[in-house]
Amino acid sequence: MELTQSLRAFLETGEDWERKNTTLKGVSIIRLPQTKSRPASLAIEINPPNEKGAPMKKKGIMIMGRGELSAFRELFNNEKVEALLESIEEVAPGKKGSKAEKEEVLEI
């Protein structure tokens, strides 16, 4: 089945908030419910996997169109955003290392 046909079928028969994984790691399709102002629709959720293969965040970034994707790309590629994050890490350092690195693993 062609991608467009698969997406159309998912939009028509999927449950509200149902998630379909894709072959791209960290990218899934979500069926958004109908609201008063718009019909049911689809969005992609971007949530890259961590070292263990689990999603990095509880909720990823939902994108509903190319305009939104373009706006996110522009922000992600902005040098000032990177400088801001660098300053935040200096002021309030986050995780010093992942749990996998700290845990002792016994070889059997």
Side-chain angles (χ1 to χ4, degrees):
M1 189 182 285
E2 185 183 312
L3 177 60
T4 305
Q5 292 172 330
S6 297
L7 292 173
R8 187 171 286 118
F10 180 48
L11 179 60
E12 293 171 0
T13 62
E15 297 290 323
D16 290 348
W17 299 108
E18 184 177 346
R19 179 184 319 273
K20 291 276 187 193
N21 292 323
T22 69
T23 55
L24 296 171
K25 295 285 185 200
V27 177
S28 57
I29 309 292
I30 299 176
R31 184 184 184 279
L32 303 175
Q34 176 179 338
T35 65
K36 291 179 183 179
S37 61
R38 69 164 174 75
S41 59
L42 299 177
I44 63 171
E45 181 183 35
I46 299 176
N47 196 354
N50 62 19
E51 310 82 40
K52 296 181 180 181
M56 282 187 162
K57 301 285 185 181
K58 186 173 182 176
K59 301 235 181 209
I61 297 172
M62 274 209 287
I63 301 174
M64 294 180 64
R66 288 183 281 177
E68 288 181 11
L69 178 60
S70 178
F72 277 110
R73 278 184 179 150
E74 190 174 319
L75 284 173
F76 286 143
N77 291 324
N78 188 318
E79 293 175 9
K80 291 181 179 182
V81 171
E82 189 156 347
L84 176 61
L85 285 171
E86 189 175 312
S87 296
I88 288 172
E89 288 174 345
E90 288 177 19
V91 172
K95 300 176 184 175
K96 298 211 176 3
S98 70
K99 290 182 180 179
E101 294 172 357
K102 292 181 181 179
E103 289 179 359
E104 190 174 330
V105 177
L106 298 175
E107 186 176 358
I108 298 177

